[in-house]
Amino acid sequence: MKGKRLTLTAVAAALAVSTAACTKEPAPAASSDPKASGSNTKYTITALDFRYGDPPPNSSPGLNMINERFNIDYKITYVPNTAYDEKINATFASGEIPDMVGFMSTDLKNRYAKFAKQGAFLPLDDYIKDQPTLKLVPDFVWDSMRVNGKIYAIPQYSPKYQTVTVIRKDWLDAVGMKVPTNYEELKQVAIAFTKKDPDKNGKADTYGVAMGLDINPNFNQGPYWDPDAWYHKNASGEFIPGLIGPGRKETVQMMADLYKEGAITKDYAILNWADTNKEFYSGKAGIFIGTPRGMSQAYMDGLLKIQPNAQFVHLEPFKDAYGNEGLQAGAGYNGMVVLNAKLAKEPDKLKKVLELHEFGRKFYADADKNEKNADFDWWSGKAGTGYNMENGVAVNTKNFASDGLAPSTYFVDNTGWAPKDTDVNYSLTYQTKPLVDLVKGIEDMYKKTKLYANPINGLESAADVSKGPELKKYVMNEQVKMIAGNRPVSDWDKLVQEYMDRGGKEIVKEYNANIKVKDPKELFK
């Protein structure tokens, strides 16, 4: 997947999941003519954001268009996602915080909350009612942004869709196997892809599952196996994180079995997301992930150039041990944007910052994605330069992002906030039929799939803020050892106890104190 946020390579994330190089979506503005309001002063507006993949140039037609239209001197710094933690920490330690800063969704309960409590961010409660796209954000999403009762971040739109497992359909046909409906079948497919020469080139150069650093993707087929879902309960009747649940044990055991068979990426423990994508899109691995929003057309084109007969199929949710079928719903946002608290002392500049940000979130219906819509045409870098109309669909030109041809590339939040998830037909944004068909199939699946609402969404745990990130990292590292055979999966109960003893007990207690729904089945909608 191309772009910034969910870059699910094949997709996440993320959307880790979830994920590769994603293309960011267009998004609603307060005015089609930003110069029409506010002061005539030309402000310098600074921003810091991350990118999955190569950042766009610091000087480009797209930036020039933004400066001219908004009458600003816009200076945005992009940092590769793998180096963003270090950059954020150094920036905030220096005290020189940009006007706008993008945060990953994983920062919500630790770094974001910490800096908000320190007074680094502007409280936004009084501005929401005046911004059209902000008024579209559901209350439950705003509640997730609250720290000590106040909102300090603007959530970036993300549909409820997450990543789903995708398999090479042509390889399935080549080895005479059906689409898996449970993990045992999935394991056998992965082994067959490793040992039965699915590409029929007479070489032992293929394998099953493409996976990288931090056991990403996690290939969950429902909340039962999702490490981020609080779905299982302990002996005391408390919800526990999926990371230590029985479903996670099942998938870790499967991965350990596949590792022994050579059916999983050999150096997965150190492989970054971009290189994990390459394992699948170079035709080496036959099992990866997909998602409606954020797939990379360029990656798919590269694979089809090598293997033009490649076909793909997504997996439906598996029935779990409780008899349920469904997927965990996304949290309703994917990352956040915060504003420097010092902007409160510069109301005219703040107005300009909000105006700029609001334009980035403008949503365009399919019928408006053409040169007849002046805002969309400008946003996309103008027809014939940033995009072309092909069969009635706006298609980005090859170098629109790498050459900075479109203003859309430079907005910290460039995803339109759709009034409804179904208002976006993601399959129409792709050009290659195999990719179009795959995405359309996933979209259709989501229309009939029950989604599980994580019961800790919007809740706070002081213990999770202080101990959660380090504790999760520890458990993840131990699970990596289990997959590689350096620690037996039979140690699972010991690992769960280690989680609880290192702070997990407090985290579980604090979240459960505020969870209202007690039966997980009631959270499927």
Side-chain angles (χ1 to χ4, degrees):
M1 315 198 160
K2 265 179 64 173
K4 168 185 157 179
R5 305 280 160 213
L6 211 239
T7 73
L8 302 163
T9 83
V11 283
L15 334 131
V17 187
S18 99
T19 155
C22 291
T23 320
K24 291 178 130 187
E25 299 273 317
S31 168
S32 61
D33 183 6
K35 292 181 182 178
S37 60
S39 168
N40 289 325
T41 302
K42 186 173 183 177
Y43 293 101
T44 295
I45 295 177
T46 56
L48 176 65
D49 200 12
F50 62 93
R51 272 291 186 275
Y52 292 88
D54 295 330
N58 293 324
S59 177
S60 71
L63 273 175
N64 293 339
M65 292 169 72
I66 290 175
N67 287 330
E68 180 181 355
R69 178 164 188 152
F70 289 91
N71 188 34
I72 60 176
D73 182 14
Y74 186 46
K75 298 183 182 298
I76 183 166
T77 299
Y78 283 118
V79 178
N81 67 300
T82 53
Y84 202 57
D85 280 359
E86 182 179 352
K87 180 65 175 180
I88 283 283
N89 290 335
T91 298
F92 280 78
S94 73
E96 297 298 320
I97 304 172
D99 298 314
M100 310 170 71
V101 180
F103 273 83
M104 300 181 186
S105 57
T106 52
D107 286 318
L108 180 67
K109 294 183 178 180
N110 45 72
R111 189 156 40 202
Y112 161 66
K114 181 181 96 173
F115 291 139
K117 290 176 181 177
Q118 292 176 358
F121 308 143
L122 179 75
L124 299 168
D125 305 71
D126 294 338
Y127 304 99
I128 293 172
K129 66 181 185 302
D130 298 323
Q131 306 298 321
T133 73
L134 303 193
K135 290 191 291 187
L136 292 173
V137 178
D139 288 342
F140 79 90
V141 175
W142 282 126
D143 289 341
S144 298
M145 304 292 113
R146 294 187 186 278
V147 177
N148 293 337
K150 291 189 176 184
I151 295 170
Y152 293 92
I154 300 173
Q156 298 172 328
Y157 174 77
S158 179
K160 297 184 183 71
Y161 313 141
Q162 303 222 67
T163 62
V164 299
T165 304
V166 168
I167 295 182
R168 285 286 296 267
K169 176 65 167 60
D170 55 316
W171 285 14
L172 277 177
D173 294 341
V175 299
M177 301 182 78
K178 296 181 179 179
V179 177
T181 59
N182 57 56
Y183 279 106
E184 179 58 30
E185 292 176 359
L186 180 61
K187 182 172 77 171
Q188 294 306 319
V189 166
I191 293 172
F193 284 178
T194 307
K195 299 186 176 182
K196 293 188 176 181
D197 190 21
D199 61 358
K200 301 304 179 185
N201 67 354
K203 302 177 182 178
D205 57 357
T206 61
Y207 69 95
V209 178
M211 192 172 77
L213 184 68
D214 293 332
I215 314 179
N216 184 28
N218 60 59
F219 297 102
N220 81 81
Q221 290 302 117
Y224 185 92
W225 303 277
D226 192 330
D228 296 320
W230 287 57
Y231 181 69
H232 303 283
K233 290 188 171 186
N234 59 21
S236 300
E238 297 172 310
F239 282 94
I240 60 173
L243 187 66
I244 59 168
R248 180 65 165 184
K249 178 183 178 181
E250 185 178 332
T251 53
V252 167
Q253 181 66 69
M254 181 188 73
M255 295 301 178
D257 294 343
L258 291 177
Y259 189 79
K260 291 178 183 177
E261 298 283 354
I264 198 169
T265 308
K266 183 178 180 181
D267 53 350
Y268 76 93
I270 59 172
L271 206 64
N272 65 33
W273 187 236
D275 287 338
T276 305
N277 274 267
K278 291 177 183 177
E279 292 296 301
F280 182 75
Y281 287 103
S282 65
K284 295 179 183 178
I287 302 172
F288 196 46
I289 52 171
T291 186
R293 169 177 171 252
M295 298 289 285
S296 171
Q297 182 67 58
Y299 282 7
M300 180 61 74
D301 289 345
L303 173 56
L304 292 173
K305 186 175 181 179
I306 300 168
Q307 299 176 354
N309 295 321
Q311 297 177 3
F312 310 90
V313 63
H314 70 276
L315 298 191
E316 300 282 330
F318 292 166
K319 180 175 287 188
D320 66 33
Y322 306 144
N324 299 321
E325 290 180 82
L327 297 171
Q328 182 178 191
Y333 66 93
N334 183 39
M336 309 90 73
V337 177
V338 299
L339 306 185
N340 192 322
K342 294 179 181 179
L343 288 169
K345 298 178 181 179
E346 299 183 83
D348 287 337
K349 180 178 179 179
L350 172 59
K351 186 174 183 179
K352 183 66 69 172
V353 169
L354 288 171
E355 192 173 53
L356 176 71
H357 187 258
E358 180 71 9
F359 195 94
R361 295 163 56 87
K362 183 172 183 177
F363 175 77
Y364 301 95
D366 293 335
D368 295 327
K369 293 179 180 179
N370 53 59
E371 67 274 17
K372 294 180 181 178
N373 185 300
D375 283 354
F376 175 82
D377 187 55
W378 177 88
W379 159 270
S380 303
K382 300 289 184 176
T385 301
Y387 73 101
N388 294 310
M389 296 300 298
E390 299 179 11
N391 299 317
V393 176
V395 178
N396 293 327
T397 54
K398 184 177 181 180
N399 298 323
F400 92 103
S402 60
D403 291 348
L405 301 179
S408 62
T409 302
Y410 293 95
F411 284 78
V412 180
D413 184 355
N414 64 2
T415 303
W417 195 283
K420 296 183 298 182
D421 286 346
T422 52
D423 288 341
V424 188
N425 296 309
Y426 293 102
S427 59
L428 297 179
T429 65
Y430 304 106
Q431 296 83 57
T432 309
K433 189 175 188 302
L435 183 53
V436 171
D437 292 345
L438 173 63
V439 171
K440 182 65 165 59
I442 298 173
E443 286 181 313
D444 290 343
M445 178 195 70
Y446 266 105
K447 291 176 182 178
K448 60 183 178 63
T449 297
K450 288 185 177 180
L451 299 179
Y452 180 77
N454 199 337
I456 70 164
N457 285 347
L459 302 183
E460 290 188 31
S461 163
D464 197 15
V465 171
S466 62
K467 302 177 182 179
E470 183 177 345
L471 185 53
K472 181 176 182 180
K473 183 177 181 180
Y474 171 77
V475 173
M476 187 76 74
N477 287 341
E478 294 305 300
Q479 292 175 358
V480 167
K481 293 178 184 178
M482 290 178 175
I483 292 173
N486 298 322
R487 183 175 182 178
V489 182
S490 59
D491 267 3
W492 189 265
D493 290 344
K494 292 181 181 178
L495 179 59
V496 172
Q497 191 59 50
E498 289 165 13
Y499 171 86
M500 300 301 284
D501 292 344
R502 289 168 175 257
K505 184 177 181 180
E506 292 90 343
I507 294 173
V508 169
K509 181 180 179 180
E510 289 176 0
Y511 277 129
N512 277 272
N514 295 303
I515 293 177
K516 302 294 189 297
V517 178
K518 301 304 179 184
D519 185 354
K521 289 185 178 181
E522 296 179 8
L523 294 166
F524 279 100
K525 304 296 181 183

